[in-house]
Structures are given as structure tokens and as C-alpha cells.
Amino acid sequence: MRRDIPPLAEVRRITEKKRDAWWTVLLVDPVATPLVRLTAKYTRITPNQITWGAFLLGLVSAAFFAFGDWRWLIAGAFVYHLSFILDCMDGKVARLTGQGSVFGAWLDFVFDRIRVAVCGVALMAGQYDRTGETIYIWLAAAVVFLDTLRYINGLEIFKIRHTMRKQIKARVRAARRAENAAELAFMEDLLRNNPEADIEQDIRQAATATVTPGGVAESAEIAESPEVAAFAEREHAPATAATAVSAPDAAEGGAGAEGEAPTKAPARVIDLHQEFRHRFPVYLRARSFFLRHRIRTHLVSGIEFQMGVFILGPLFDSVIKATIVSGALLLVFELAIIYKLLLSTRDFTRTIDSFEREEVPTAA
């Protein structure tokens, strides 16, 4: 029995991420999304079944890699890419049909790590058997280590950012209880959900980048962007037009025109990446270009690392070079993320300090 599935354009809107790895955007989504629509419409295949299919295909590619001959390497690379396409389809089917689950997310993550480890060992073992070069033993360990490092680092950074946001929200809630403080929004949330506004914001900051004391940006800084203002307005209803007016305007006409109901103070926007934006204005312009095409600026993540090792290396029969280059680029981008986190923690510290300075006159 057919499901009531929307047209392909709507399926793309529902299932494709607003920002994704360039390999996924260019080489996977054009194939995976139409397949997702057909799968959801004509079959009863569940996301977890697709996850199992991706895992089993990954094991097949590992078996091909283990033979070592260049013909088997090409076959293994082709099957690995099919495995990755299925790996992207499970989440899309879950979003489209509402079948997502916490267990499914766990299963997908664990199978991905096992697939990379098994394929890495099989690929290097096949090449060691073929050539006798001990470097392949070290490369097998390096592939498993780097893949594990990438995802542990990503999870820990997510936890730290979540903790910083949680502490800031706790401070604002305390202030709101004490003096009915204004609403709160995080700049990264406003911009993540509105890529067009993100681009406009980056270009503006590249031209006039300044870091305010405390790392806190008031809503007046983004009021020039109608997309961000509109999104902030939706996110903080019923403060209808409050987020689109600057603090001076609110001070002069807080009650609005005669007979109109007074509006809330503008939502306070916290930008925990303000110092990074200030230090790298050129990066912001490049970032805007990528965002127009749904490509995230983390150009070499775990996905690109896998594709370099398990697809490009076998296809060109250059496993050593592909693995070394992919691993080096992955480390460079991981270090960039760590540096960005360092600057973000400084913005966080200044933000907390600004709250403490505001509490002093209040207590007095």
C-alpha cells in the first residue's frame, strides 16, 4: 500500500540538512533523496533495516578490500559508496516518515564506527599481504584512531557548548526572576536556522567586525537583517516586534503609539563565536559562499576522511598517499575546531563576567 508522500522538492526540504558535508551534498543527496522518496512511498522498509543494509554492505566492501588486488579495490570502493548512500538514507527516511528513534540513532552511530574499523583493517591487511610493507600496519591503526578521535572530539565539543549555553540560560533565568529580564536568544541558533540571514550577517561582520565587552551582542546588532529579526520574533513570541527594534528605540518608545499595548524589551542575543568572526573576516566571506550551496565549512570531517581512504585511495591504487593526506587534513580541521572552541570559551567567560557586572548595581 502506498504512503501519501509529498513531491520530490518537498521531500528534499524535509530530509536534507541545511548544512552538510560537501561529499554528501554533491555526490550522495542527488541519489539518496529520490531513493528515499521511492522507498517511503512504495515499501515498508524501516530506517533500522536500512541501517543494517548499510552495515552489511560495508562488510562486503571490507571483504573486497582484503583481497588486495586493484580490481577488488575498485569493487570495494564502489560498494563502500553504496553503503554510505544507504547510511545517509536511514536518517532521511526517519525524518520523512516520522519513524526515527533513539535506538536507531545509537545503532547508526555504532555500526558506522564498526564499519570504518573493519574496512580500515581489511584494506591495510590486503595491501600488506600484497606488498609486505609494514607501513600498512601503522596506517590501519591510524585510520581507526583518527576516526575515533574525530567523533569523540565532536561529542565532547558538543557537550562543552551545551554546558556553556546551559549556564548562560541559568543566569538569564535568575535575572528574569529578579527583575523581569528580557528574552534570550543565541546568535548561532538564529543563524543556523536561517542560512540566508547567516550569509548577510557574515558579510556585514566581515566589513565592520567589532568585539563588544563581554562578548554579548544585543538584538540591535542583527536588526538590519529581516530574516534574523523575523526568526527571532517567531522564536520568542509573544514578543511580536520586540526583536526587530534596537535598544534605543525601545527606550524612547517602549509603550508604542498612544493606545497600543506596550511591547517587551528586545531579546538578548548571545554570540559565542563573536571573537572568531572578528579574527577571521575573510573566512566569513568564503563561508557565505559555501552556505549558499548547503555546504558546511568543515571541509574535511569524518565523512571526507572515509571517502579519501576507502574510495579515492582504492580507485587510484594509491592507498598510502590518500590515507596520509586525508588524515593530515582531518587533523588540521579538527585543530581548527578546537581553536574555535577556545575562542568561544573566551566569549563565554566575557558573557558571564558581563552578567556579574550587571548584578552588582542591581544588588546595590
Side-chain angles (χ1 to χ4, degrees):
M1 188 174 73
R2 294 186 182 182
R3 285 194 180 104
D4 186 16
I5 301 298
L8 181 59
E10 180 66 9
V11 171
R12 292 188 188 279
R13 186 192 68 80
I14 295 172
T15 63
E16 293 180 354
K17 298 176 182 178
K18 292 184 178 180
R19 305 178 190 181
D20 211 336
W22 63 266
W23 187 282
T24 303
V25 172
L26 299 178
L27 300 175
V28 176
D29 280 350
V31 177
T33 306
L35 289 177
V36 164
R37 183 174 183 272
L38 294 175
T39 301
K41 186 171 184 178
Y42 295 107
T43 75
R44 293 297 177 181
I45 297 176
T46 66
N48 285 352
Q49 290 171 338
I50 297 176
T51 301
W52 274 99
F55 176 66
L56 294 176
L57 275 182
L59 296 183
V60 172
S61 68
F64 289 164
F65 288 146
F67 285 111
D69 183 75
W70 69 271
R71 296 178 182 85
W72 289 109
L73 290 181
I74 293 175
F78 177 75
V79 174
Y80 192 90
H81 193 248
L82 291 180
S83 171
F84 185 69
I85 290 176
L86 283 183
D87 187 40
C88 292
M89 286 178 60
D90 55 7
K92 296 179 187 297
V93 170
R95 287 190 289 273
L96 183 61
T97 62
Q99 294 178 299
S101 66
V102 175
F103 178 76
W106 174 86
L107 189 70
D108 182 53
F109 178 82
V110 172
F111 278 1
D112 283 350
R113 307 286 66 76
I114 295 174
R115 179 183 60 185
V116 172
V118 172
C119 285
V121 171
L123 175 63
M124 302 309 168
Q127 294 307 295
Y128 175 75
D129 183 64
R130 174 186 173 188
T131 64
E133 297 182 25
T134 56
I135 188 175
Y136 289 106
I137 298 176
W138 293 104
L139 288 179
V143 168
V144 176
F145 170 77
L146 289 174
D147 180 73
T148 304
L149 173 66
R150 161 72 189 109
Y151 284 93
I152 290 177
N153 187 43
L155 289 173
E156 288 301 314
I157 287 178
F158 173 81
K159 287 166 60 177
I160 292 172
R161 287 176 175 170
H162 176 74
T163 300
M164 291 192 297
R165 291 161 64 101
K166 187 176 179 180
Q167 290 186 30
I168 291 174
K169 287 181 178 180
R171 289 294 188 106
V172 171
R173 280 195 296 268
R176 184 183 297 130
R177 287 193 297 267
E179 57 186 48
N180 192 25
E183 294 288 341
L184 171 73
F186 284 93
M187 176 74 77
E188 57 190 299
D189 287 342
L190 301 182
L191 300 183
R192 181 184 296 112
N193 287 277
N194 272 270
E196 295 81 5
D198 200 355
I199 295 167
E200 181 181 334
Q201 176 76 4
D202 285 346
I203 293 175
R204 187 184 308 111
Q205 288 194 3
T208 60
T210 57
V211 177
T212 61
V216 179
E218 298 296 332
S219 60
E221 296 180 12
I222 61 168
E224 297 173 3
S225 172
E227 293 88 353
V228 173
F231 178 75
E233 180 178 340
R234 293 196 304 271
E235 289 294 297
H236 297 282
T240 51
T243 54
V245 298
S246 62
D249 292 338
E252 292 175 7
E258 184 177 355
E260 294 182 2
T263 59
K264 287 186 179 181
R268 189 173 197 177
V269 178
I270 307 297
D271 188 359
L272 293 180
H273 299 297
Q274 193 167 8
E275 185 173 349
F276 184 83
R277 297 173 191 272
H278 172 69
R279 290 194 178 202
F280 302 99
V282 176
Y283 157 84
L284 298 179
R285 295 186 180 275
R287 178 173 179 267
S288 298
F289 169 79
F290 289 123
L291 290 180
R292 291 189 181 97
H293 302 280
R294 288 199 309 115
I295 298 173
R296 64 190 181 196
T297 50
H298 192 140
L299 295 179
V300 182
S301 63
I303 293 173
E304 288 80 11
F305 171 69
Q306 293 177 43
M307 302 307 119
V309 173
F310 300 125
I311 294 182
L312 298 182
L315 282 179
F316 293 99
D317 197 15
S318 185
V319 174
I320 294 178
K321 291 181 181 178
T323 302
I324 292 176
V325 171
S326 299
L329 289 175
L330 177 67
L331 284 176
V332 167
F333 277 88
E334 289 304 300
L335 290 174
I337 290 178
I338 294 172
Y339 178 67
K340 187 176 181 181
L341 176 67
L342 172 64
L343 297 184
S344 182
T345 59
R346 293 177 181 175
D347 285 327
F348 168 74
T349 301
R350 285 192 290 266
T351 301
I352 294 297
D353 290 343
S354 71
F355 287 147
E356 293 175 353
R357 287 194 299 269
E358 291 172 3
E359 290 171 1
V360 172
T362 303

